[in-house]
Amino acid sequence: MNAMHRQIAGKLTGPVTKWVVLVVVLLLTGGLGFLGSKLADVKDNQASSWLPGSAESSRVADELSTDLDPNDIPTLVVYHREGGLTPADLDAMDAQAAKIAQVEGVTATGVLTPHGAEALAAAGKPAPRLISEDGEVAYSFFNFNFGDGGWAKVPASAKDVRKIAKIDGVTTYVGGFGGQASDFAESFEGSHVQLLMITFGVVILILLLTYRSPILWILPILCAALAYMMSRGVVYLLAKYVDLTVNDQSEYILSILCIGAGTDYALLLVARYREELRRHEDRHEAMAFALHRATPALIASAATVAVGLLCLVFADLNSTASLGPVLAVGVVVTLLTMITLLPALLVIVGRWIFWPKRPSFGSDEPTAHGLWARVGARIAPRPRAVWVVTTGVLLIACLGLFRLDATGLTTEESVTGEIDSVTAQKLMAEHGLADSSVTLQVVADADRIDAVRTAVGTVDGLGAPTPVRPLADGRAWFESAVSVDIASPTAFRLVEDARAAVREADGAHALVGGGPAVYLDSKIAADHDNRLIIPIVLVVVFLILVLLLRALLAPLLLMATVVLSFGAALGISALLFEYVLGFAGSDPGFPLFAFVFLVALGIDYNIFLMTRVREETVTHGTRKGSLIALSSTGGVITSAGLVLAATFLALGTLPLVFLAELGVAVALGVLLDTMIVRSVLVTALNLDLGGRIWWPSKLDRGTPSAPEPPAPATEKVPALD
C-alpha cells in the first residue's frame, strides 16, 4: 500500500505529468469558474423556502397557493411628518402611488393608499387603516411579484420606489418584506468582494510571516482562489439541476472555508515538502515523498470536515440541510486542488520559490530545536499535572455557556446597523399602526371556520380577523394583523396563543401560518436540528478517527478534548457577545453551526498531530514520537490555526449578527484548539498514557504494526543520474 501511494504521488509530480496536471486544472477552473459566475441566478434568500413541508406554516402556504400568489412580496412605503401629515401630503401619496404602480414588479392591482382605504371603507369593503390616529404616520401598501425566484430583483425596484416616494418635509421609508429584502441586499452590496479582499489580505500577511518569503505565499493563495472558483461552479450545477438551496449566507461561508481550509492544507504540504527537500536532492522525488506522507492526513482531515458538514442534511431547516453539501463541495474541491495543482506548481518553479531561505539538500531540520520542541520539553516532566490544570481552566471557561441566549433575535437585533425597514416598522408601532403586510393566516374547514374565527378574535394582541374567504375542498381562511416585529418573542407568543385557540374548535382541522408563524417554525426546526445533528456529528467524527488511528482510546480522548474546547469557546464567546459586542442574543441555529465548524475543524489539527505521532511511534515509541510530532508540526499547525481563525473572523465585517457571532466563535475555538488543546492538552495526555493511548491496538507494545517505517530524518537521498 505504501509503495502504491508513492507511485501515485510520483506520477502526479513527475517531470512531464506536472504540466499535464497544470493544464487539466486550469481548464477545469475556466469551465467551472464560468458556471460559478452565474451562481446569483439560482440563489434563494426567502426565509419561507427554508422550512420543511411538514411545518404548519408551510402547510398553510400550500393551501392558500390557489388564493394567494406565493411569489407576492408585501411592501410598504411609510411617510412621517412631525406635527401631522397635511392634506397635500396625502394627495402627493396618491400621485406617487400611480407612479409606483408602474415600477417593474409591482402587481397590476396597483397601490393602496390612505385615500384608497377610505374609499373601500365607504363602499362597505374591508380595508386596513393606513394612517395613524395622530395623523403623523401613513403608509401605502403594494406587492412586488417577479415570479419564481424573483427575490433577487426586489432591490432594484425598491430603489425606483424610493426615488418616487419623496415629499418635502416628510421622511419616507420602504418597509414590509420587500423593504427588508432590499435593505439586506443593500447592506451586503459589495460586502462579498470586501470579505474576500480582507480575507486574502489577512491570509497573505500570515503567510508572509510564516514563510518569511516574499514570493512563496503566491502559490497557496492562487490555488485557494482557483479552488473557490471551481467550488462555486459545482455548487451552481447542484443548485440548478439537483434543486440544492443556496443563499448568500452559504456563499459567504463557502468562500471563507475554501480560503481557510485550502491555506491550511497548503501549509501542511509545503512544510512536509520542505522537510523532504533537505533529504532528497531531486525535487520531484522530494514532492513524491511529501505527498505520500502528508496526503493521508490531508484526506483524513478533509473527510472529517466534509462528512461532518454532510451530517447537516438531516436537518429540518432546508437552509441548514443545504449548507452541508455546499460546504462539503468546497472542502473536497479544495483538497483535490491542493494535492494536485499545488504540488505541480511547486515542482515546476523549483527550490527558488522558498527564497531567501531555500531548503538546501543535506541541511539541518530547524524544527527539532524550535519553540514547540521547547514546549514539549516543558510538558514532559509532569504531563499529568499539565493536562489536569489545562482541563480545569477550559471547564471554567465553559461556565460562560450559562450566559448564551439562543432563543432568537428580532429583525432589528439581527443586523449590526440601522436599516430603513426596521425604522419603518418601529415608527408604525410607536404610532399605533398595524403593518398590513404582517398577518397570521388561519385555514380551517368551512363548516367550522366561524368558530375558529371567534377563537382567534379572543387572542390578545392580534388585529380583528378579516372576513372569511372560501377555498376549494370545503376549506376556508381569514387573517389577522400582527403589529409587532415579525421575529420577536412577542410575535412567537401570538402565534402560539392563536394555535392554542384554534385547537379549541373541535373538528375544524385548523392551521395557523403567515409571516410570524414562518419565523416561529424556523426556530422550532432549528431547536430540533440542534438536538439531532450534534450527536450524529459526534458519532461520525469518532468513527472516522477510529478508522484513521486504528484505536479506540485515542479517538475517545480526542473527541473529549474537542468538545471541551467547543464548550470553552462558546462560553467565552457568550460573554463577549453580551458584555463587549453588545449583541442581544443569538440565532437558534447558532449553537449547531458553531458546533459543526468547531468540531470538524478542531479535530483537523488533532488529526495533523496524531497521524504524525502514529508515524513516529513506529520508530521511536509514543512518548518520544509525541515530542517529535509536536516539534515537527507545531509551527505549521499554529500557522494554519491563525489562518483559519483570521478567515472566519473576517465574517465579523458583515452586517448580519449571526455571521459575526459565528466568525468570532469559530475563530476563538480554532485558536484554543491550536494553542492549548492540541499543543498542551493532547500532548500531555499522550506523554502521560504512553503506548496505552493506542488501545486496543498493539502499536508501541513491542509488535510494530507498520511494516515500512519511515526513513530517519538524517538519511539523505542524492539525485540519481
Side-chain angles (χ1 to χ4, degrees):
M1 181 65 73
N2 286 340
M4 184 182 71
H5 285 171
R6 281 198 293 269
Q7 289 175 3
I8 294 173
K11 288 180 179 178
L12 284 174
T13 57
V16 176
T17 52
K18 63 186 179 184
W19 296 105
V20 176
V21 169
L22 176 61
V23 171
V24 169
V25 175
L26 290 179
L27 288 175
L28 283 173
T29 302
L32 292 174
F34 170 74
L35 294 175
S37 66
K38 302 194 293 182
L39 188 59
D41 298 339
V42 294
K43 285 195 292 190
D44 186 353
N45 290 304
Q46 186 176 358
S48 59
S49 69
W50 300 350
L51 280 173
S54 59
E56 187 166 337
S57 54
S58 298
R59 292 154 62 196
V60 170
D62 288 341
E63 289 205 52
L64 294 181
S65 60
T66 56
D67 260 34
L68 297 178
D69 190 331
N71 295 310
D72 277 348
I73 305 171
T75 310
L76 317 175
V77 182
V78 179
Y79 298 79
H80 175 232
R81 182 190 287 274
E82 291 284 350
L85 294 163
T86 66
D89 294 336
L90 298 178
D91 291 340
M93 289 177 64
D94 283 338
Q96 290 173 3
K99 295 180 180 178
I100 290 173
Q102 305 303 313
V103 171
E104 181 185 3
V106 176
T107 54
T109 53
V111 187
L112 182 63
T113 65
H115 283 156
E118 290 176 5
L120 287 174
K125 298 180 180 179
R129 182 166 59 89
L130 304 186
I131 186 167
S132 62
E133 294 287 352
D134 59 14
E136 289 192 356
V137 177
Y139 71 94
S140 300
F141 175 82
F142 61 92
N143 286 322
F144 282 126
N145 191 317
F146 299 94
D148 291 337
W151 282 78
K153 299 180 180 179
V154 171
S157 291
K159 286 182 180 178
D160 292 337
V161 171
R162 290 190 181 96
K163 292 176 183 177
I164 295 170
K166 292 181 178 179
I167 302 174
D168 289 340
V170 176
T171 54
T172 58
Y173 308 92
V174 177
F177 285 103
Q180 287 184 20
S182 173
D183 286 340
F184 275 101
E186 290 184 3
S187 295
F188 282 94
E189 190 172 354
S191 59
H192 195 202
V193 175
Q194 177 184 338
L195 177 65
L196 288 173
M197 292 178 64
I198 292 173
T199 304
F200 275 122
V202 171
V203 171
I204 290 170
L205 178 61
I206 294 174
L207 290 180
L208 283 169
L209 296 174
T210 301
Y211 289 143
R212 299 176 186 176
S213 167
I215 49 178
L216 180 56
W217 63 269
I218 296 173
L219 297 187
I221 290 296
L222 174 63
C223 292
L226 296 183
Y228 172 57
M229 291 171 62
M230 288 189 283
S231 298
R232 293 181 82 237
V234 176
V235 169
Y236 169 80
L237 292 174
L238 292 175
K240 181 75 172 178
Y241 299 107
V242 190
D243 201 27
L244 179 68
T245 301
V246 183
N247 52 44
D248 285 336
Q249 173 180 285
S250 55
E251 185 181 10
Y252 289 137
I253 299 177
L254 174 66
S255 63
I256 289 295
L257 192 60
C258 286
I259 298 169
T263 309
D264 277 8
Y265 300 154
L267 282 164
L268 192 71
L269 179 61
V270 171
R272 199 61 190 256
Y273 177 49
R274 181 153 34 188
E275 280 187 48
E276 298 300 332
L277 283 173
R278 293 189 170 94
R279 296 181 54 240
H280 297 268
E281 191 172 9
D282 186 320
R283 68 179 186 276
H284 299 88
E285 187 175 336
M287 180 56 77
F289 273 86
L291 271 178
H292 163 63
R293 287 174 172 156
T295 299
L298 293 175
I299 292 176
S301 168
T304 304
V305 177
V307 174
L309 290 169
L310 284 175
C311 291
L312 293 175
V313 300
F314 296 106
D316 269 358
L317 275 175
N318 291 333
S319 57
T320 301
S322 64
L323 181 65
V326 169
L327 300 184
V329 164
V331 170
V332 172
V333 172
T334 300
L335 170 71
L336 293 175
T337 304
M338 291 301 169
I339 61 175
T340 55
L341 179 60
L342 180 59
L345 289 174
L346 284 169
V347 293
I348 285 171
V349 298
R351 294 176 189 256
W352 68 266
I353 195 71
F354 290 92
W355 183 85
K357 292 188 177 182
R358 290 186 291 180
S360 58
F361 174 62
S363 60
D364 291 331
E365 177 57 48
T367 58
H369 310 287
L371 169 65
W372 292 107
R374 296 194 296 272
V375 170
R378 295 291 296 272
I379 296 172
R382 302 185 63 190
R384 184 168 300 177
V386 170
W387 72 255
V388 167
V389 171
T390 304
T391 301
V393 171
L394 292 174
L395 285 172
I396 292 172
C398 291
L399 296 176
L401 286 169
F402 290 106
R403 301 301 304 173
L404 183 65
D405 178 9
T407 56
L409 299 167
T410 66
T411 307
E412 180 180 8
E413 293 166 348
S414 64
V415 293
T416 57
E418 190 80 10
I419 58 176
D420 275 6
S421 55
V422 170
T423 303
Q425 187 179 61
K426 290 167 60 178
L427 198 59
M428 292 171 63
E430 289 169 1
H431 290 265
L433 272 180
D435 181 351
S436 59
S437 69
V438 179
T439 63
L440 286 189
Q441 298 163 343
V442 184
V443 179
D445 291 342
D447 59 350
R448 297 287 292 154
I449 193 70
D450 288 336
V452 172
R453 184 173 179 273
T454 300
V456 171
T458 65
V459 175
D460 224 12
L462 286 178
T466 64
V468 172
R469 283 162 271 190
L471 291 168
D473 301 323
R475 302 281 279 174
W477 74 285
F478 62 89
E479 55 189 344
S480 293
V482 176
S483 59
V484 295
D485 185 280
I486 194 171
S488 66
T490 304
F492 295 163
R493 180 187 59 78
L494 291 175
V495 176
E496 291 167 342
D497 290 349
R499 286 176 173 172
V502 302
R503 301 293 186 266
E504 296 177 4
D506 295 335
H509 303 105
L511 301 170
V512 176
V518 167
Y519 280 85
L520 174 60
D521 289 342
S522 297
K523 179 183 181 300
I524 293 171
D527 292 339
H528 166 269
D529 293 344
N530 290 340
R531 295 190 299 271
L532 175 68
I533 305 298
I534 288 177
I536 292 177
V537 172
L538 287 173
V539 171
V540 168
V541 173
F542 172 72
L543 292 176
I544 292 175
L545 289 175
V546 169
L547 293 173
L548 175 67
L549 299 177
R550 286 165 277 178
L552 288 177
L553 183 57
L556 281 171
L557 290 175
L558 292 180
M559 291 301 299
T561 62
V562 171
V563 171
L564 180 61
S565 174
F566 163 74
L570 239 62
I572 299 172
S573 296
L575 299 178
L576 289 175
F577 298 160
E578 182 175 359
Y579 298 111
V580 178
L581 300 176
F583 296 148
S586 300
D587 186 271
F590 167 73
L592 173 60
F593 280 74
F595 178 84
V596 171
F597 281 115
L598 283 177
V599 170
L601 297 173
I603 209 71
D604 248 14
Y605 303 111
N606 283 325
I607 287 175
F608 291 162
L609 174 68
M610 291 303 291
T611 51
R612 187 62 181 264
V613 171
R614 199 177 199 286
E615 179 184 328
E616 299 295 342
T617 295
V618 175
T619 305
H620 303 287
T622 301
R623 289 187 170 90
K624 185 175 180 181
S626 296
L627 295 176
I628 294 173
L630 178 62
S631 63
S632 300
T633 65
V636 66
I637 291 178
T638 301
S639 298
L642 289 173
V643 166
L644 199 62
T647 53
F648 268 90
L649 200 58
L651 288 173
T653 63
L654 298 176
L656 201 61
V657 167
F658 170 76
L659 291 179
E661 290 185 340
L662 183 64
V664 169
V666 173
L668 184 58
V670 166
L671 291 176
L672 284 176
D673 277 325
T674 54
M675 302 294 185
I676 298 176
V677 173
R678 184 269 315 165
S679 60
V680 177
L681 182 56
V682 173
T683 298
L685 286 169
N686 287 344
L687 293 173
D688 188 20
L689 295 174
R692 289 172 292 173
I693 200 81
W694 307 112
W695 182 88
S697 166
K698 293 183 179 180
L699 183 69
D700 197 17
R701 292 188 184 181
T703 54
S705 59
E708 295 184 36
T714 56
E715 182 183 336
K716 308 295 187 290
V717 183
L720 297 176
D721 293 333

